Amino acid sequence: MSSQRPFPTESDGTEPERGTYVPSKPTDLRGPCPAVNCLANHGYIPRSGRNVHAGQLHAAMYEFGLSSVLASIFAYPPFIEVPEDKSSSSQPPTSPSSWWTTLLKPIAYVLRGFAMRPAGQTDDSGAAYLNLDQLARHNVVEHDVSFSRLDAGQGDNLTPQPHLIRDILSASSNGSTLTGRDLVELRKRRYARQKEDNKELVFGASQNQLASAEIALILKVWGNGKEVPVKYVKAFFEEERIPREEGWKKRSGWSVGFLEMDLLARKLKKMFGDVKDEENAAVAAVH
């Protein structure tokens, strides 16, 4: 999208300055999360989308004005190794060896539900890494009823969809800003549509919690917590670009913290209303 911009490219073999926006190339890897893709497009993590390390992603989150704690919550869990036996990932440890692993790595055990790194995936130095397309592992952080992507059951949960992005931008009730209410109502419409369009839909309480946290992040990072300029959202979703040209500036004085994010996400989730997990139980059982 919007590739006709006078931004530097890497065609001459030189690496653009860190922070400079360069749209992704067809050979680059990108994931389902616009925020992470945005960091790659600006060179805060590898522009290729390959061999991304947790420390790089954590440091890059500073560009959004996140606190170290909140950045850690977003950055580190996906790098936990997915158990080779995926059926055991949600079960308590039963063998002596698994108990020992749990004692040695208690945080990894608690957060194992967010693991995305394939077993044994490390670089030559032994450091764990992810490629951005691996963030599309379904029903970990990526979920159905995305604002800008199709559901996994529709075949492509990676590629931004222009018609869905147009829906985001047109959801503004005043034409210039998007409020929390605007975004929640948009999610409700997406949910109703996907119940008709995707017979494999999985959207229960946990997915709703993640979806509400995403809205909270948009409001807190790009806006004032209550509303966000449409022009910022347009740059973020259409070009996966930090909207500095449009006037956005990172918070100064204090960072976006976990508690304020969580409080807002809870309010947005309540605004959306309850979702019955049993409606999707048959599909959820497959994962």
Side-chain angles (χ1 to χ4, degrees):
M1 298 181 190
S2 301
S3 59
Q4 305 301 315
R5 299 176 60 85
F7 289 108
T9 67
E10 297 172 288
S11 59
D12 61 356
T14 62
E15 179 71 16
E17 184 179 353
R18 187 173 184 268
T20 300
Y21 172 76
V22 178
S24 62
K25 302 188 300 292
T27 54
D28 293 334
L29 297 179
R30 292 295 182 264
C33 176
V36 176
N37 293 344
C38 189
L39 294 173
N41 290 343
H42 282 274
Y44 294 119
I45 58 177
R47 293 182 185 273
S48 68
R50 294 174 171 83
N51 300 328
V52 179
H53 294 82
Q56 292 174 319
L57 184 56
H58 179 266
M61 292 286 178
Y62 174 78
E63 302 301 327
F64 294 149
L66 304 189
S67 70
S68 180
V69 170
L70 188 57
S72 296
I73 291 171
F74 286 133
Y76 287 108
F79 289 83
I80 297 171
E81 190 174 69
V82 177
E84 292 185 7
D85 178 9
K86 296 181 179 62
S87 63
S88 66
S89 62
S90 61
Q91 302 298 322
T94 55
S95 67
S97 61
S98 59
W99 274 108
W100 181 243
T101 300
T102 302
L103 287 172
L104 288 176
K105 299 180 179 180
I107 296 177
Y109 176 74
V110 171
L111 297 175
R112 67 197 183 283
F114 296 100
M116 298 189 206
R117 182 171 61 89
Q121 182 168 287
T122 58
D123 62 18
D124 292 341
S125 70
Y129 73 88
L130 279 171
N131 298 321
L132 294 191
D133 60 340
Q134 293 174 327
L135 298 179
R137 185 168 178 248
H138 190 43
N139 273 337
V140 179
V141 175
E142 180 279 335
H143 58 81
D144 288 341
V145 196
S146 164
F147 275 149
S148 60
R149 268 69 172 172
L150 298 176
D151 292 349
Q154 295 175 301
D156 180 7
N157 63 345
L158 276 173
T159 309
Q161 301 297 315
H163 71 285
L164 295 181
I165 295 174
R166 286 194 295 270
D167 287 346
I168 300 171
L169 302 179
S170 64
S172 169
S173 54
N174 63 16
S176 61
T177 62
L178 283 157
T179 66
R181 173 67 68 180
D182 290 336
L183 293 169
V184 169
E185 292 301 320
L186 172 62
R187 186 83 71 182
K188 286 181 179 180
R189 293 192 293 274
R190 284 279 295 132
Y191 179 49
R193 182 191 309 169
Q194 293 311 99
K195 284 196 290 184
E196 297 294 326
D197 293 348
N198 180 16
K199 302 306 179 184
E200 299 180 6
L201 179 69
V202 179
F203 194 80
S206 61
Q207 289 81 18
N208 189 19
Q209 181 64 45
L210 287 169
S212 299
E214 290 165 3
I215 297 175
L217 189 67
I218 291 170
L219 292 171
K220 288 290 186 179
V221 170
W222 308 124
N224 60 12
K226 296 181 180 179
E227 61 183 10
V228 56
V230 170
K231 61 183 180 180
Y232 293 177
V233 176
K234 178 180 173 69
F236 178 61
F237 279 105
E238 276 197 353
E239 300 181 65
E240 297 187 329
R241 173 173 61 83
I242 296 175
R244 294 186 178 116
E245 288 185 7
E246 289 76 9
W248 177 83
K249 293 182 180 180
K250 182 174 61 177
R251 259 196 200 180
S252 61
W254 79 100
S255 56
V256 180
F258 170 74
L259 291 180
E260 63 175 294
M261 273 280 299
D262 184 59
L263 179 61
L264 179 56
R266 289 173 184 272
K267 291 179 178 178
L268 294 165
K269 183 180 179 182
K270 184 177 181 180
M271 194 183 298
F272 185 94
D274 293 332
V275 180
K276 294 182 179 179
D277 285 321
E278 60 266 23
E279 289 182 358
N280 306 306
V283 178
V286 175
H287 299 276

